[in-house]
Amino acid sequence: DAKTTQPNSMESNEEEPVHLPCNHSTISGTDYIHWYRQLPSQGPEYVIHGLTSNVNNRMASLAIAEDRKSSTLILHRATLRDAAVYYCILRPHQTGANNLFFGTGTRLTVIP
Amino acid sequence: ETGVTQSPTHLIKTRGQQVTLRCSSQSGHNTVSWYQQALGQGPQFIFQYYREEENGRGNFPPRFSGLQFPNYSSELNVNALELDDSALYLCASSRASTGYEQYFGPGTRLTVT
């Protein structure tokens, strides 16, 4: 399975934008880029996913490099509730094969 | 709240014993995946069930087994428990037809002594 590389930890001030980077240099053409986050004492939570184009939803934006070897999750205004571990995951596009392979993720600390 | 429930919340077992963990998937979801999360690590994929059949397996020994029922709920069974099996066990449900989002339960914390 293609691997991703993320910084172990990042900090952000409350109400400021946060850019969480992810490198995936061995990504294949059919791999989707997924982001999940895990709040303390909870199971992971889906955030966003994309293939080639940038994506926006109510939670975040996903910016994908033109060569797809890296991506950035953007939280437009960090809140204290956004403090979590963020996982960048590559998922092959196969019907039914929707298991996820998590790395160690980036622990985001939001400073009031 | 995702609609995925797991029981029990916490469990303490002794090495060598057997344990069964349960998961109820979100309404309309026919695929269930199980993950093991050791302290400080990301979740590791154990296996997935789709329409009552195992549909993929991670790097876990055969003493980890599972079942999916006609209502799409699922069980994870672990035999001959080892100390390293102490972890948070997460289940996640999804629609196999899309599979883009997996909805995770809160997990069962298993401690093996």
Side-chain angles (χ1 to χ4, degrees), chain B residues 71-84:
Chain B
N71 66 355
Y72 303 128
S73 65
S74 177
E75 286 183 357
L76 164 66
N77 298 291
V78 187
N79 293 323
L81 283 167
E82 301 177 359
L83 297 180
D84 284 349

Side-chain angles (χ1 to χ4, degrees), chain B residues 25-103:
Chain B
S25 57
Q26 183 159 316
S27 176
H29 287 182
N30 59 13
T31 301
V32 174
S33 301
W34 285 91
Y35 295 82
Q36 179 195 66
Q37 186 173 25
L39 210 57
Q41 302 295 315
Q44 300 300 303
F45 173 69
I46 303 175
F47 45 57
Q48 178 182 96
Y49 277 82
Y50 170 61
R51 292 184 176 177
E52 303 178 56
E53 298 217 353
E54 189 176 293
N55 186 40
R57 189 177 184 95
N59 188 26
F60 280 81
R63 60 189 185 84
F64 285 78
S65 63
L67 281 174
Q68 187 180 31
F69 301 100
N71 66 355
Y72 303 128
S73 65
S74 177
E75 286 183 357
L76 164 66
N77 298 291
V78 187
N79 293 323
L81 283 167
E82 301 177 359
L83 297 180
D84 284 349
D85 296 333
S86 295
L88 181 68
Y89 289 85
L90 296 158
C91 89
S93 73
S94 61
R95 298 177 202 268
S97 60
T98 60
Y100 292 136
E101 295 183 43
Q102 289 198 21
Y103 294 82

